Structure formats: structure tokens, C-alpha cells
Amino acid sequence: MESLAMLVLLFFSQGQSSTPEVEKRSTCDRCDERLFCDCSSRNYRHVPTVTVTEVVTLDLSFNDITTVAEDDLREYTWLRTLDLRSNRIQSIHEWAFHLLQGLESLDLSYNQLAALNPVWFSKLLSLQHLNLLGNCYRTLGPGGTSLTRLRFLRFGNPALEEVRRGDLAGVRQLDQLEVYGNNLKRYDPGSLGDLWPLRVVTLRLRGPFQDNLTLVSSIFHDVSYSETFLVVADVLLSEKTSAAPFSEINRRRVRSILFQNATLTDEAMIHLRWTFLQSAWCCVTKLHILRFYFSSMYIFCMFYYQVMEVFKFTSFLNLGFLLKYLRQISIINCKVYVMPCLTSHLLTQLEYLDLSSNLLTDLTLTESLCHGHGILRNLRVINVSDNALKSLSIVSKLVTRLDKLIHLDISQNAYTSMPPTCSWPQTLTHLNISWAKLQRVTHCLPLTLEILDLGHNDLTAFHSVALPVLRELHLSGNKLRRLPPGWLFPSLEVLLIQSNTLNMFGPMDLQLYRKLRALQAGQNRFVCSCEFVYFMVWRWGGAVEGSVELTDRWDNYLCDSPLPLQGQRVDRVRLSPFQCHRILVVSALCGCVLASGILFVILLWKLHVVWYVRMMWAWLKAKRNSGNQRRRDAAGNAEPLCYDAFVSYSEQDAEWVEEFLVPELENSQPPLSLCLHKRDFLPGHWIIDNIINAMERSRRTLFVLSEHFVHSNWCRYELDFSHFRLFDGDSEAAVLVLLEPISKDDVPKRFCKLRKLMSSRTYLEWPQEDERRAEFWSNLRLAVRGGDEL
């Protein structure tokens, strides 16, 4: 048995000594250059480490953290804001926040804290915002922590049952306080009495209002000051006694009170007005912003108001003695379909009436405004937007006798047309008919308007309606293709015409607006032509400062066409000169082409290209004819060449040719046959054909070169054709005889191969000495017959 006991003890001792391995902390790397780390909604089960130790703002909300350990926040001494809301935190080490002496905002709301420990906050000397809502603690616990800088405090939850004196002993000067005490059962008077100045106080006390009115009165007494804005939320006032605690507010002279999400019966409403008869009444979101000043009620506002047991509702006629003081009434989104004319008769001081987002029709509005008899003569502002009105004519007749009316909002109704003429009060300066279905504008608009809102209709044009004193015009969300003519609005200063179908506008359009200083024209279908882009960039892109300012962003000015530019910002479009100045560029190009053509022609003339082409064509034609002739000769009629040489010479050298050259060559042994143009050219044939035929029928072409030859047109032709024959590969076809010294530079430059031959071959020079002439004739005969190179 002893050995068995020892084994059991050993087993348990080993089990106790082997502690579970500590789970490794996760790392959050979602930090930015502002030293803000967003670690929310990442399913962390423990406080993670972050990559920036100097983090200033740490958001750990919406995770699964259950515990904040002593060392979890030790590294973050620079922390100013810590958000731990909406986790599952059940325990916090008492020294977890001790190193965060610079912390200014701490949010522990909506966790599972069953108790609050004042030690947590003992070192948070810089704390200004503390949110403890939505946990499960039943009491705040002992106070004493010195939070001298705390300005915003939120505490309470459905489990909170008591607030004792001393729970907030360390808090002295609060600006905003929110208390969730729907199930509060105990409140020691004075518990909140030392908190001052309490600029805004929000109380959620639905349960105490039903069960413990004394408790509510004590809270009202402690938090009510004349400058405090008191928000009473989630309350149910079902009986006349429910209004009793508000007498404390009356005695404390609170000027502003807001009922939020309040439920009132008709009976409670009547008794509440007695309570506030001499107080500051303020009011209501969901009975929102009612404001009273001592003995008079000036503003009455209701949002999302719901009447309980509507069959018992006796209207506001019982409040007639109070309604006569009202100056502003707002009944918004309360499903009101009529305000009886009898009630309107009581509103003798009413200046502001807001019945927006209700169920008014033309018929019920007629009843509410007493058929246009001018009962509400002090009205300056009427807002009946977002109802079921259909006739502009009826509205204009109903308000025409309200001779103090300045502002009329009839937007978000079902208007489809505008009558040709309307009757309006002469004082009307602001008119809002936006978000309707108007398709055209008529002279129904009053000439006294200074601000007109016709946005989000179906307008396609705005012309022929002059408004001489109009300062501000809203036309966004229509189907306008161009800016309205500026001469219609000589006083216009602000024009909003966004989200239409504008293609472009230019300086001529804006010049007509003499006083325009602000323009919003973005989100249109701009055609990014050169004129429009240049105007936009030049006028508003920084090139020049104009009197009109674009007050919307450049991101709203995008090209819709042409297709390659679609979606680009207008100020970033870059168009080529060809796109912008097509006629000028085409004209310049045509001019350049013409000039180039002229220069090309001159160049061709200088380089004799035309001559080359003509000669090439003639030569090819001659070769074709010659080839055909040869083919016929090959068929059986072949003839030998007729001449040994064709003599090309100038008429001025004819004497030498006839007296010396011809006798000497034709009378030699064996005789040489020469072709002379005077003797052998066929009459009636084109001279060019004769030259080509003579050359083709001769073995050689004998050129008698002289100054006269160089300047002879026909000799040049013969030389030209000989030049082409040289191109044909027969470099032995030309025989050169110089009657007088002549430089190769005198030969035309276009005869490049001939000039080359003169440079590379020996040519015959006519000797002036008689004793050398026999040798000359011998060499010439040898050259003509096809001897070796001289």
C-alpha cells in the first residue's frame, strides 16, 4: 500500500510540475506611417504584438480577447489611444495599464467585465475619454482614483443596479456623461452631483421612469445645469405621473433637452406641457429637439414620431395656449397627412414650418394652409419636400398671400410639368423644386428669386426665362446639352450644372455671365476637342487666373469622346498639333510637298534626270525595234552592219570632215564605209530615229570633238545615244577625235562614262604638223576597224 501511495504521489507531482505551454502571441503588422495600428476584426485571442513599438493608436476591437495580462501592453509606453471594445474580456490584470501614463482614450465597452477595479486607472493621469458601456458589472465599485483630466465618461449596462455616492469620487470636471441605467434600482442622491460643468448628459432610464420616479428626479437634480444639453433616451411616458421628474429640470432652469427614441401617450403629452409651461423646452429625434425659453415654447420638432393608441389622440388643439408661442415646427417623417386648418389658426407666431417626408397631398396641403387665405402670415420658411404633391399651380396659389415667405422647399415631389404662369409672394427669394420630373421651364418661376434649385429633373433646355436677380442656380442631374444663356441671369454668381449631357463649353459661353464666380460642371459627357481642352487647361490649369473658379474637383472632368481619350482627365489630355490644327497642318504639308516638288524638279534638272529618263526611254525603244529587226533577220533575212562608223560632228566642222576625214577613210585600202547625216539619213524620218538607226547599223561611232561639237545640240544627242550604248556594255563603240585641244571638263557632267573614258583611254588628236598626219590617219583607220587600244 505504501508503494502504491508513493506512485500516486509521484504521478500527481509530475502532473503538477508539467505546466501547459504558453500560447505564442500573434503579431499584427497593419501599422501605418501615422503610428496607427489597425488590429481590429482579426480573431485574436490574446493581445498581439505589433511591429511598431512607438505605436500611438492601437485598435484591438472586435476580436476574441478574453484576458489582458500584466505584460501585454508593457512595450507601448507611447500609446495615446487604446480600443478594446467588443471583445470577450473577463479579466484585466491590475497593473496592465500602469505603464501607459500618456494614454488619453480607453474604450473597454461591450466586453464581459463583471467588476471594475479602480487600480486599473490609478496611473492613467492623462486619461480624457473612458468608455465602460455594455459590460455586466452591477455597480461601479469603490472610487477614489484621481482622474483629474477625464472629460468624457460613459458607463452602465443592462445589469447595472446601483450607483452609490463616492463611486465617482476621483472624477471632478466632466464635459460629457452617458449613463445606461434602464434597470437601475438604487441611486444615492449626490452621486453625480460633483461632476461639473456637464455640457452634454445622456440618460437611458426606461425602467426607472416606470417604476421609480424619485430615483429619476434625483438623477435629474444632480446632472441638470442651465447650460447642460440633456438627452433623455429610450423613455416611455405612458401616464400623467411620468412627467413629474421633469419638474426638477424646470427648477434647475435647463434650456435644452432632447428626447431620443421616446414613446409618449396623449395623456402624458398633455401633462408634460404643463410641466414645461415655464421652462426651456427643447427637443426631439424620434421626438427630437424641442427648445423652450422660460415661459414660451419657440421650437417644436418631431422626427419619426409615433402616436400610441391613435384612436384616443385628441390632436394638439388642447395645447392651443402653448402653440401660439411657437415660431418653428418640424414634423419630419411622421406619416402626417394633414395639419388641420384649426391648428394652423393657433400658430399665429409661426415663422418656420417643416412637414417634409410625410404623406401630404395637394388636397391635404390646401387644408393645412387654410385654402391659401394667408392665415400663417408670419411664415418665412416652408418645407414640404418628399411628400405626394403634384401641382405647382396649387402650391403657388396657397402661398401667394404669405407676404413674408422667403424660402420654399417643394422638392422630391411628383411634379411633371410647370404651368405657363404662377402667382408667388413678392418676398420669395429661395425656391427648391429639385428631384421632380419637370421637363421644361416656363415663366411660372418668380422674378424675385435669388436661389433656384432645379437639380435632378428631366430638363433638356433652359432658355427664354429671365431671372434678373438670381444669384445661385442649381441644375445638376438633368439632361442639358449646353450652358443656359448667360444674358438671362445678369446677377448670377454660382452655377451648378453637374451630371448633365454637356459636351463642352468655352469662353464665349462664360463671357455672357457677367458676375459668375463659381462653376461646377463636372461629371458630364465632354468631347475633348482641341478648343475645349485648350480652354480648360488655359483657363483653369494654371496658365491664367480668371474670375470664374471651378469649385469641384478635376477628377469630375473626364473625356467621354473621342474613344482613345475616354476616361482621361481633361487637364491631363495632350493632343498633337495635327489633331488640333488639321487645316493648318495640311496646308503646311501641302506647301512643304509643293516646295519639295519644286526643289525636286530643280534637282532633277540640275542632275539631268529628265534627260536620262528620256534618253533611256528612247534607247529602250530603239533596242526593242532593233531586237525585233534582228529577230526578223534571224528568221532568214539577216543583213550585216552597213557602216564601219557613224560620224558625229558639228556643222562648223563639216569642212574638215568632208575634205579630210571622208576621203581619207573611204578611199583607204580596204575602204571604210562611213555614215554621214547629210548623206545617209533617211528623209521623212524623225531625226532621233535616224541617229539611233545610224548608230545601231554602225560598228563604231566616231566623234569629232571640238568646241563647236560641245555646244551643238544634235551632236549632244548623238553623244547622248553613244553614252547609252556605252551603258550597254560596248565600250569600244566610241572613237574620239579631237580637232582641237579640249578638256574633259568641257564634256557635260551627265556623260559620266564618257568622261571616264576620256580619262582612262587614249584619244586621237588632230596634229597641226603635216609630218604627223600620216600616223594619225593610220591610227584612226585601225581604231575604226577595231584594233587594239591606242
Side-chain angles (χ1 to χ4, degrees):
M1 290 295 292
E2 292 181 359
S3 61
L4 180 60
M6 290 295 293
L7 288 174
V8 171
L9 289 174
L10 180 62
F11 174 79
F12 278 107
S13 63
Q14 290 178 349
Q16 292 175 356
S17 62
S18 59
T19 58
E21 184 179 356
V22 178
E23 184 177 350
K24 185 178 180 180
R25 293 171 63 185
S26 303
T27 301
C28 175
D29 57 358
R30 296 167 60 181
C31 300
D32 59 21
E33 65 278 0
R34 298 172 301 169
L35 302 179
F36 168 70
C37 294
D38 182 6
C39 305
S40 62
S41 304
R42 301 293 296 272
N43 297 321
Y44 293 127
R45 300 181 63 184
H46 301 277
V47 175
T49 60
V50 296
T51 55
V52 180
T53 56
E54 297 84 5
V55 58
V56 173
T57 302
L58 179 59
D59 186 353
L60 294 170
S61 59
F62 299 98
N63 284 291
D64 294 327
I65 299 172
T66 58
T67 302
V68 180
E70 179 181 3
D71 298 332
D72 284 348
L73 302 170
R74 181 182 296 274
E75 301 175 358
Y76 311 131
T77 55
W78 293 90
L79 205 59
R80 294 293 178 270
T81 302
L82 177 59
D83 190 349
L84 287 167
R85 61 193 163 98
S86 299
N87 280 276
R88 295 187 298 167
I89 299 176
Q90 299 177 3
S91 64
I92 300 176
H93 193 277
E94 59 182 9
W95 304 116
F97 303 135
H98 274 208
L99 295 179
L100 307 180
Q101 297 184 11
L103 193 67
E104 297 176 356
S105 177
L106 176 60
D107 193 339
L108 295 172
S109 60
Y110 302 102
N111 282 284
Q112 299 175 13
L113 295 172
L116 301 179
N117 189 344
V119 180
W120 295 343
F121 316 114
S122 61
K123 299 295 183 179
L124 302 181
L125 303 180
S126 300
L127 194 64
Q128 300 179 23
H129 298 253
L130 178 59
N131 190 348
L132 299 171
L133 290 172
N135 284 275
C136 51
Y137 50 85
R138 297 175 178 272
T139 181
L140 295 178
T145 301
S146 181
L147 297 175
T148 57
R149 295 190 178 183
L150 193 64
R151 295 295 178 266
F152 302 87
L153 175 61
R154 295 173 176 85
F155 70 87
N157 58 78
L160 183 65
E161 295 182 352
E162 57 183 35
V163 176
R164 298 181 180 181
R165 191 174 182 87
D167 285 352
L168 299 174
V171 181
R172 285 289 180 264
Q173 298 183 7
L174 279 184
D175 286 338
Q176 294 187 22
L177 172 66
E178 181 175 348
V179 179
Y180 187 106
N182 280 349
N183 296 312
L184 196 63
K185 295 181 174 58
R186 174 181 173 178
Y187 176 82
D188 291 348
S191 297
L192 303 176
D194 295 333
L195 306 180
W196 186 86
L198 288 181
R199 185 170 52 86
V200 179
V201 176
T202 301
L203 300 174
R204 304 180 185 276
L205 304 170
R206 187 180 186 89
F209 260 105
Q210 295 175 271
D211 305 327
N212 195 338
L213 298 181
T214 303
L215 182 151
V216 177
S217 298
S218 297
I219 295 176
F220 279 174
H221 178 273
D222 288 348
V223 300
S224 298
Y225 300 91
S226 59
E227 300 298 329
T228 301
F229 183 79
L230 183 61
V231 181
V232 181
D234 303 330
V235 296
L236 171 62
L237 304 180
S238 57
E239 301 176 356
K240 62 181 180 180
T241 56
S242 302
F246 291 97
S247 61
E248 191 64 40
I249 296 176
N250 183 23
R251 285 190 291 271
R252 300 285 288 183
R253 298 183 180 276
V254 174
R255 296 183 179 183
S256 302
I257 181 171
L258 168 67
F259 285 93
Q260 188 175 40
N261 193 25
T263 305
L264 285 80
T265 63
D266 188 20
E267 182 181 17
M269 183 69 178
I270 298 297
H271 285 83
L272 190 62
R273 81 52 191 164
W274 285 106
T275 302
F276 281 100
L277 186 58
Q278 292 183 346
S279 83
W281 173 270
C282 48
C283 157
V284 211
T285 67
K286 309 182 178 183
L287 250 176
H288 199 87
I289 305 182
L290 287 166
R291 179 169 293 170
F292 283 75
Y293 296 98
F294 297 102
S295 61
S296 300
M297 176 162 114
Y298 296 110
I299 301 176
F300 176 77
C301 307
M302 294 194 300
F303 299 81
Y304 311 102
Y305 182 71
Q306 181 178 359
V307 179
M308 298 177 58
E309 299 180 343
V310 67
F311 55 89
K312 295 181 180 180
F313 191 66
T314 58
S315 80
F316 291 116
L317 293 179
N318 290 332
L319 299 175
F321 65 95
L322 194 59
L323 296 181
K324 64 182 180 180
Y325 296 109
L326 276 177
R327 294 181 183 176
Q328 296 186 24
I329 291 181
S330 294
I331 304 176
I332 302 172
N333 197 14
C334 297
K335 299 183 180 179
V336 170
Y337 57 88
V338 67
M339 183 173 71
C341 182
L342 292 176
T343 302
S344 300
H345 273 279
L346 300 175
L347 303 172
T348 56
Q349 301 297 321
L350 192 64
E351 298 177 357
Y352 180 98
L353 176 61
D354 188 348
L355 298 174
S356 58
S357 302
N358 285 292
L359 303 175
L360 296 175
T361 65
D362 294 329
L363 181 62
T364 58
L365 182 63
T366 301
E367 169 66 17
S368 300
L369 297 181
C370 298
H371 302 271
H373 294 316
I375 300 301
L376 303 173
R377 288 191 175 276
N378 289 316
L379 266 180
R380 296 176 180 271
V381 177
I382 296 179
N383 185 351
V384 288
S385 61
D386 194 15
N387 280 279
L389 306 178
K390 295 182 179 180
S391 175
L392 272 175
S393 178
I394 292 177
V395 173
S396 67
K397 292 177 182 178
L398 291 175
V399 301
T400 188
R401 294 188 181 182
L402 303 179
D403 51 12
K404 293 184 180 180
L405 186 64
I406 297 175
H407 187 121
L408 178 61
D409 188 344
I410 51 177
S411 61
Q412 301 184 64
N413 282 288
Y415 307 118
T416 57
S417 62
M418 187 178 293
T421 59
C422 299
S423 177
W424 302 96
Q426 293 298 314
T427 55
L428 187 63
T429 59
H430 295 60
L431 179 60
N432 187 349
I433 324 179
S434 61
W435 294 97
K437 299 178 181 178
L438 298 175
Q439 298 180 359
R440 58 189 296 267
V441 177
T442 70
H443 292 278
C444 173
L445 297 175
L447 299 178
T448 58
L449 286 181
E450 296 181 7
I451 298 177
L452 173 61
D453 190 346
L454 289 171
H456 302 281
N457 280 280
D458 294 328
L459 300 178
T460 57
F462 195 126
H463 52 77
S464 73
V465 180
L467 299 173
V469 297
L470 191 68
R471 295 185 293 104
E472 191 171 320
L473 178 59
H474 299 248
L475 294 173
S476 299
N478 283 283
K479 300 177 182 178
L480 299 173
R481 295 182 178 273
R482 58 181 302 175
L483 296 180
W487 59 269
L488 295 173
F489 318 108
S491 303
L492 193 67
E493 299 177 2
V494 178
L495 175 60
L496 280 68
I497 193 168
Q498 295 175 304
S499 301
N500 278 270
T501 56
L502 289 180
N503 290 331
M504 63 179 68
F505 55 89
M508 295 302 297
D509 298 314
L510 296 183
Q511 285 177 2
L512 298 175
Y513 295 92
R514 293 181 295 179
K515 296 184 178 181
L516 190 65
R517 57 179 176 81
L519 173 66
Q520 292 186 11
Q523 299 178 359
N524 277 286
R525 300 179 179 179
F526 293 117
V527 176
C528 286
S529 63
C530 297
E531 295 80 4
F532 178 68
V533 171
Y534 174 76
F535 169 70
M536 294 292 289
V537 175
W538 176 79
R539 185 65 180 269
W540 288 293
V544 65
E545 292 186 4
S547 58
V548 181
E549 179 185 358
L550 286 182
T551 55
D552 50 349
R553 301 174 55 187
W554 274 108
D555 291 340
N556 295 326
Y557 293 83
L558 304 179
C559 296
D560 186 66
S561 64
L563 190 60
L565 301 177
Q566 193 173 61
Q568 292 189 31
R569 275 176 42 169
V570 174
D571 63 323
R572 295 178 180 175
V573 170
R574 297 295 180 266
L575 298 174
S576 65
F578 181 77
Q579 292 173 295
C580 293
H581 309 285
R582 187 164 299 177
I583 296 178
L584 181 61
V585 171
V586 170
S587 301
L589 287 177
C590 291
C592 291
V593 170
L594 180 60
S596 300
I598 294 174
L599 292 175
F600 184 68
V601 170
I602 294 173
L603 183 63
L604 292 181
W605 178 75
K606 292 291 290 182
L607 297 178
H608 309 286
V609 176
V610 176
W611 173 85
Y612 276 115
V613 173
R614 290 176 58 195
M615 292 301 102
M616 181 67 74
W617 173 251
W619 180 252
L620 292 175
K621 182 178 178 182
K623 283 181 65 66
R624 186 175 66 253
N625 293 336
S626 176
N628 292 337
Q629 182 67 32
R630 288 192 181 94
R631 284 193 293 271
R632 289 193 298 270
D633 293 343
N637 298 316
E639 294 182 2
L641 296 174
C642 299
Y643 305 103
D644 291 309
F646 167 66
V647 183
S648 176
Y649 60 95
S650 171
E651 283 296 326
Q652 282 79 3
D653 299 324
E655 182 179 357
W656 182 85
V657 172
E658 295 172 356
E659 292 184 3
F660 293 97
L661 181 66
V662 174
E664 191 67 37
L665 295 182
E666 288 188 344
N667 296 328
S668 63
Q669 294 298 327
L672 296 174
S673 176
L674 301 179
C675 178
L676 305 177
H677 64 270
K678 286 185 177 181
R679 183 181 66 185
D680 300 308
F681 277 12
L682 297 176
H685 286 237
W686 187 32
I687 186 66
I688 300 297
D689 289 339
N690 274 319
I691 293 174
I692 294 175
N693 288 334
M695 288 186 175
E696 286 292 321
R697 296 170 67 187
S698 302
R699 291 188 179 90
R700 302 284 184 269
T701 299
L702 179 61
F703 292 99
V704 181
L705 302 179
S706 66
E707 290 291 338
H708 301 299
F709 181 93
V710 172
H711 297 96
S712 170
N713 290 330
W714 292 115
C715 292
R716 289 175 63 185
Y717 273 120
E718 293 164 356
L719 194 58
D720 291 340
F721 284 112
S722 176
H723 182 265
F724 276 99
R725 192 171 181 183
L726 294 176
F727 277 150
D728 203 27
D730 191 0
S731 61
E732 303 294 334
V735 178
L736 307 180
V737 176
L738 271 63
L739 284 185
E740 55 188 3
I742 183 173
S743 172
K744 66 180 180 64
D745 295 331
D746 293 331
V747 179
K749 292 181 179 180
R750 61 180 178 273
F751 306 121
C752 55
K753 193 161 187 180
L754 187 59
R755 290 162 60 90
K756 183 178 179 181
L757 288 175
M758 290 182 66
S759 302
S760 61
R761 293 171 59 91
T762 303
Y763 44 82
L764 299 173
E765 294 188 27
W766 173 248
Q768 299 299 321
E769 300 85 0
D770 292 340
E771 60 272 12
R772 294 180 56 194
R773 290 181 179 176
E775 182 183 0
F776 168 79
W777 293 118
S778 176
N779 291 333
L780 181 58
R781 282 191 289 269
L782 181 60
V784 171
R785 288 193 177 100
D788 296 333
E789 183 178 347
L790 297 178

